[in-house]
Amino acid sequence: MEMARRCILHIDMDAFFAAVEATMNERYKGKPLIVGGDPSRRGVVSTASYEARRFGVRSGMSLAEAYYRCPQAIFIEGNPHKYVYISGQVLRIVKTKSPRVEPYSIDEAFIEMDGGMALEEGMETGREIKDEIRAQLSLTCSIGVAPNRYLAKMASGVKKPDGLTMLDADSFRRLFWTKPTDTLFGVGEKTAAALRTLGIETVRELAVCPVNRLRAAFGVNGEALKQIANGIDCSPVTPYYEEAPQKSLGHEITLDHDEEDRESLLRTLLSLCEEVGRDLRKEDYRGRIVVVKIRFSDFKTITRQRALNGLTNDSEGIFRIARELFLGNWPGTPLRLIGVSAAELVHGEPKEEEPALFETEDRRKIAVRAVDALKDRFGESILCKAAQMRYDPA
Amino acid sequence: MKFSMMQGDLLESLQVAANAVPQKSTLPILSHFLVEARDGKLTLTATDLDLSILTTRSADVEKEGRIAIPARKLLEMVREFPSERVDVSVDGSIVTISFGKGIGRFHLVTADPQDFPQIPKFEAGKRFTLPLVQFERAVERTIYAVSADDMRPEMNGVLFQLNKERFSLVATNGHRLSRMSVSGKFDAEADIIVPPKALNQVLRLAGGIEDLRVTMSKQYVLFEVGGTRIYSRLIEGAFPNYEQVIPKESKRRVTVNRQDFAAAVRRVAILADSITHQVKVTLQPKEIQIDVDTAGVGGGHETVAADSEGERLDIGFNAVYLQDILRSLDSDTIVIAFNTATSAAVVTPGMNAEGEDVLCLVMPLRLPE
């Protein structure tokens, strides 16, 4: 079967948060700039400017390590509102080229051009987008042009910053087949290590590996791995307005310091559950699965989940399950991060419920609605559960 | 440690204790039996931390001791042994289990008994005794109504209430409710929510024993049946105020043969919607009609003779709820009391067994317009 010819652009803003800050503050220009916060506190680098990256600073690195590598850098707290606003401006420019735009993260998007457009023509559009973004927002981006999403994503990373790269299946093979498997987007350290145990080191070896072997080792993901190593990807670009149903919704927090106090951890867990429940209700979702994530001080991370018998968006119920999962899997050692999410979400009102014998449930729903309404009006901090507050005798 | 006993006796004890071994657990020690030989008795303990079972019976104890043995392996092994004397002896961390004076000989790696969780202490607990047969009947008549909804933990158990004159068990899932009270003379008071798993264990052990000894503390309950103790964590929270939802009076009462009605509901229910299980019950003079009409599936109709007076009333029910009630009762006839098509119906036995009072409540389903 011959696939319809497609032309997809992947746009990736260069050092987005740092670049936005630099456009708004002359002093940051051309300097190593690290967005993430005060390096004496806990936290991670959200973005480092290219000047800082030269010292080996990367997104996701702890601020302390970033400081060690580049003490002369300017460390600033991020301002998400700014980034969301600029991100919207970027999308506005991109949408003038094609209506089929899928924001992938705050600084990335996929754009599907009209059916049948040649890649060369896509390159031309990419150039226009880059020019307009530079002219209007003083920012640079890297764009990949390819016949599918996966290749487009790989292409935008070929030359960064300020790149524009076309990548078809042939050039993908030429460029990537000799490289280690973890150069592929979606293949992390763990997968690469697992592949090595199968004797697979390079993308080429993965691409030609019999699918049965991969399936035996990775299940359904085995097939997907082989596909991406061959540069094959049939997934569509889903514009925002036809938003793909959300699959999970969660919150996590890196703790101020490695925490091992049970009460303090449970308090944090409760706050996370309150946020998850609140977001579910705001977005009109209900979840079937509660997931708890625990990261130990050595960065070892586990997630544990439990399926419910029904659907819920009730913070208290989520906390009850999350608490059980947490206490059942936490050995009492210091933790670096905890997270809670709800998965297998269902959108919209549930079907008419069975008539109930008791009104208690209804009364609680009314209370939750009242609290939500207060938060909508006066902000999230207007009310909280007493258990979320720290007991301070002083 | 060294002891011996007949294969059948050992197997029975293992099977009783195995009910508390969790299917899977993050704590490896929980997949073990704590095995103790002392004073001519063998005691097996298993726990999933919420439910613990401790069962004791006599054995020929040659050398006292305690050890933790992998539960499933030991049970599977002893089940396959011939009906002969089984010898169990421990050397270091290895337990050897043999039958027929060594014809069959197996060994298993054990775990440190020190790692086994402590069983709750009941020093200051309230103690009382209940008639086991009636307790068992009360469990059977209520336990099916327990909710499985994780979001309503207070309904995930059976409410046990005791005062000087009676004890009652009550269970509900918010849409149906069952209660059985037993009158007698008692010497304690209680108001606790017991997980169904613990009650099911009591049912399993009930045969041939008269007394159920109960001990309660704030967070735990202990049931003693013969040589077996069942410890269970109680469910926290407030059971819904169920008494206020039991209708005080009714506009219509219908008496019908229980088995005839049950058989008809069972047949009609086959064609009911697989999620709502909705059937329509119509009260007519002298009969009850049961109808089902499910889009894309089919429909059916049955008529059951009944002692029914008054105007026609159409009322929707979840057939599964009706079946649960009809199955749990054992009277020849049942009485169903109705008010309106949207208020709870009350099902009671035509005649209660002496000292017993059974009541089932079920909310109707809204019928499509």
Side-chain angles (χ1 to χ4, degrees):
Chain A
M1 186 184 77
E2 197 189 335
M3 294 286 298
R5 191 164 75 163
R6 297 169 77 196
C7 175
I8 290 165
L9 273 59
H10 177 253
I11 169 170
D12 188 358
M13 300 304 294
D14 298 327
F16 185 53
F17 298 171
V20 170
E21 295 292 345
T23 62
M24 298 185 179
N25 192 329
E26 276 296 320
R27 286 186 302 131
Y28 297 159
K29 267 191 191 140
K31 302 254 177 62
L33 179 68
I34 292 172
V35 182
D38 181 349
S40 66
R41 292 208 328 253
R42 299 268 294 222
V44 293
V45 175
S46 358
T47 313
S49 69
Y50 282 90
E51 291 79 3
R53 291 186 195 192
R54 245 173 256 140
F55 295 88
V57 178
R58 297 281 176 269
S59 302
M61 180 179 279
S62 74
L63 286 170
E65 186 179 350
Y67 184 76
Y68 173 78
R69 286 174 184 259
C70 187
Q72 69 273 39
I74 305 167
F75 287 84
I76 56 166
E77 202 79 55
N79 181 343
H81 297 293
K82 264 191 249 180
Y83 313 144
V84 170
Y85 174 74
I86 300 292
S87 177
Q89 296 297 308
V90 171
L91 290 176
R92 182 182 52 77
I93 292 171
V94 168
K95 278 183 185 158
T96 61
K97 309 298 174 191
S98 163
R100 304 190 63 81
V101 176
E102 176 184 335
Y104 191 62
S105 69
I106 190 159
D107 59 353
E108 285 178 66
F110 289 101
I111 307 136
E112 175 133 31
M113 302 309 294
D114 284 342
M117 182 186 273
L119 294 186
E120 288 71 17
E121 230 178 310
M123 287 292 279
E124 191 48 47
T125 308
R127 212 163 286 130
E128 288 167 23
I129 291 174
K130 285 169 69 75
D131 289 346
E132 286 170 40
I133 287 177
R134 190 193 315 272
Q136 296 181 29
L137 305 170
S138 310
L139 293 170
T140 64
C141 60
S142 299
I143 294 182
V145 181
N148 66 45
R149 277 172 67 117
Y150 190 77
L151 290 178
K153 167 88 183 159
M154 292 301 291
S156 65
V158 170
K159 186 177 176 292
K160 258 188 136 335
D162 205 13
L164 176 64
T165 310
M166 186 169 98
L167 196 67
D168 60 15
D170 286 341
S171 48
F172 170 75
R173 259 173 248 145
R174 253 195 326 274
L175 222 58
F176 287 97
W177 270 27
T178 55
K179 300 208 166 141
T181 52
D182 62 5
T183 35
L184 291 172
F185 173 68
V187 178
E189 264 173 58
K190 278 188 195 160
T191 310
L195 285 167
R196 268 194 296 280
T197 65
L198 300 177
I200 296 170
E201 302 267 354
T202 63
V203 175
R204 189 190 156 276
E205 284 161 354
L206 176 58
V208 300
C209 180
V211 73
N212 291 341
R213 273 188 78 198
L214 294 169
R215 214 181 280 147
F218 298 97
V220 280
N221 290 333
E223 270 165 75
L225 282 170
K226 188 178 164 86
Q227 296 254 314
I228 61 171
N230 281 294
I232 298 170
D233 177 15
C234 306
S235 56
V237 169
T238 314
Y240 207 54
Y241 56 81
E242 310 172 356
E243 191 185 358
Q246 198 161 352
K247 286 188 187 135
S248 76
L249 192 157
H251 284 277
E252 60 183 46
I253 183 165
T254 301
L255 303 158
D256 289 345
H257 55 271
D258 287 352
E259 182 63 77
E260 56 184 326
D261 177 53
R262 185 173 182 272
E263 293 313 311
S264 163
L265 286 167
L266 286 176
R267 200 158 51 229
T268 306
L269 193 71
L270 174 62
S271 298
L272 290 169
C273 292
E274 287 287 333
E275 287 179 62
V276 171
R278 168 106 171 103
D279 283 353
L280 287 170
R281 295 190 295 274
K282 252 196 228 169
E283 310 280 335
D284 200 11
Y285 278 104
R286 275 151 227 274
R288 197 183 303 281
I289 292 180
V290 175
V291 188
V292 168
K293 179 169 168 186
I294 301 173
R295 177 167 297 150
F296 299 97
S297 51
D298 62 358
F299 279 86
K300 187 184 160 233
T301 307
I302 58 169
T303 59
R304 294 291 180 268
Q305 61 179 54
R306 214 176 100 196
L308 311 175
N309 291 308
L311 295 166
T312 193
N313 58 14
D314 173 33
S315 311
E316 275 182 38
I318 294 169
F319 177 63
R320 212 158 39 234
I321 307 289
R323 184 177 184 277
E324 265 177 45
L325 284 169
F326 177 76
L327 293 177
N329 291 285
W330 174 53
T333 52
L335 299 185
R336 186 179 172 85
L337 170 149
I338 53 178
V340 176
S341 53
E344 281 198 15
L345 302 185
V346 174
H347 193 57
E349 275 299 301
K351 277 203 267 174
E352 196 177 312
E353 285 171 29
E354 276 180 74
L357 279 167
F358 309 106
E359 286 169 10
T360 48
E361 185 71 339
D362 292 337
R363 243 189 265 160
R364 209 158 65 116
K365 275 186 195 150
I366 292 167
V368 169
R369 242 194 317 265
V371 171
D372 281 347
L374 279 170
K375 288 185 172 178
D376 287 343
R377 187 147 165 218
F378 300 108
E380 299 297 323
S381 48
I382 184 75
L383 265 180
C384 79
K385 291 221 159 66
Q388 284 172 265
M389 293 158 67
R390 202 200 315 239
Y391 173 65
D392 188 355
Chain B
M1 185 180 79
K2 194 168 180 190
F3 68 88
S4 69
M5 63 199 295
M6 287 306 291
Q7 180 265 353
D9 293 348
L10 179 57
L11 179 61
E12 215 175 280
S13 290
L14 291 171
Q15 281 169 331
V16 167
N19 290 316
V21 176
Q23 291 296 324
K24 54 177 181 186
S25 169
T26 47
L27 278 178
I29 191 70
L30 300 187
S31 62
H32 293 68
F33 290 124
L34 179 66
V35 180
E36 294 176 274
R38 176 157 304 143
D39 299 335
K41 282 187 181 120
L42 170 76
T43 302
L44 297 177
T45 309
T47 183
D48 65 9
L49 298 180
D50 287 330
L51 177 79
S52 308
I53 299 180
L54 209 141
T55 184
T56 303
R57 75 163 65 214
S58 15
D60 294 326
V61 178
E62 205 170 298
K63 194 175 162 205
E64 298 189 340
R66 50 186 235 145
I67 193 78
I69 306 180
R72 302 267 169 240
K73 293 276 183 252
L74 182 61
L75 176 61
E76 282 171 32
M77 206 184 281
V78 173
R79 186 184 287 137
E80 298 305 326
F81 280 8
S83 160
E84 289 178 27
R85 185 152 283 276
V86 178
D87 293 293
V88 180
S89 63
V90 174
D91 183 15
S93 66
I94 301 292
V95 60
T96 302
I97 306 129
S98 59
F99 62 83
K101 298 203 170 72
I103 294 177
R105 179 187 286 279
F106 301 85
H107 59 269
L108 272 171
V109 178
T110 64
D112 187 349
Q114 296 299 331
D115 293 343
F116 205 85
Q118 290 283 326
I119 300 304
K121 294 235 175 351
F122 279 87
E123 278 130 13
K126 259 190 262 181
R127 295 178 66 91
F128 50 87
T129 302
L130 300 176
L132 183 53
V133 173
Q134 282 175 308
F135 185 81
E136 197 191 344
R137 282 171 60 82
V139 171
E140 284 167 351
R141 276 156 192 69
T142 49
I143 200 164
Y144 65 85
V146 168
S147 165
D149 183 352
D150 294 305
M151 293 297 131
R152 313 286 298 270
E154 68 282 0
M155 293 186 189
N156 293 166
V158 178
L159 175 71
F160 171 76
Q161 289 180 312
L162 172 71
N163 60 30
K164 296 243 176 325
E165 290 116 45
R166 68 172 61 82
F167 74 84
S168 306
L169 296 189
V170 189
T172 181
N173 70 352
H175 307 288
R176 47 104 174 258
L177 177 145
S178 55
R179 182 192 70 187
M180 175 164 153
S181 301
V182 175
S183 43
K185 279 207 171 70
F186 304 103
D187 188 23
E189 290 192 354
D191 197 341
I192 56 176
I193 307 172
V194 186
K197 208 171 158 197
L199 297 171
N200 276 322
Q201 299 311 320
V202 175
L203 289 188
R204 282 211 176 108
L205 296 168
I209 294 169
E210 282 182 7
D211 283 345
L212 174 66
R213 279 165 296 153
V214 185
T215 311
M216 269 169 39
S217 72
K218 209 163 172 227
Q219 284 180 303
Y220 290 91
V221 64
L222 159 64
F223 296 108
E224 287 177 83
V225 183
T228 300
R229 298 173 180 202
I230 298 152
Y231 294 86
S232 174
R233 194 189 289 275
L234 295 173
I235 293 175
E236 288 170 42
F239 199 81
N241 185 356
Y242 72 92
E243 278 170 66
Q244 72 177 23
V245 301
I246 299 175
K248 302 282 174 294
E249 47 202 28
S250 62
K251 292 205 177 111
R252 260 194 98 147
R253 290 164 64 84
V254 179
T255 304
V256 62
N257 179 288
R258 181 180 63 87
Q259 288 185 346
D260 293 350
F261 187 49
V265 171
R266 235 175 12 245
R267 286 187 289 266
V268 170
I270 295 168
L271 298 183
D273 180 273
S274 62
I275 293 168
T276 65
H277 306 288
Q278 175 158 319
V279 296
K280 183 174 86 173
V281 171
T282 304
L283 308 183
Q284 296 278 31
K286 304 284 171 215
E287 64 185 41
I288 299 181
Q289 295 167 358
I290 312 156
D291 283 276
V292 65
D293 181 11
T294 308
V297 178
H301 170 88
E302 288 224 16
T303 305
V304 182
D307 182 359
S308 161
E309 299 286 325
E311 306 235 312
R312 174 193 165 112
L313 178 66
D314 290 329
I315 182 163
F317 283 111
N318 178 330
V320 172
Y321 291 174
L322 290 182
Q323 285 173 278
D324 283 344
I325 292 171
L326 297 168
R327 221 186 348 246
S328 76
L329 300 175
D330 57 1
S331 57
D332 293 341
T333 59
I334 55 159
V335 179
I336 316 177
F338 297 90
N339 276 307
T340 67
T342 54
S343 58
V346 180
V347 185
T348 48
M351 192 194 280
N352 274 303
E354 201 189 331
E356 294 181 1
D357 177 23
V358 182
L359 174 140
C360 310
L361 215 58
V362 56
M363 278 304 280
L365 293 175
R366 289 185 195 94
L367 286 170
E369 298 300 315

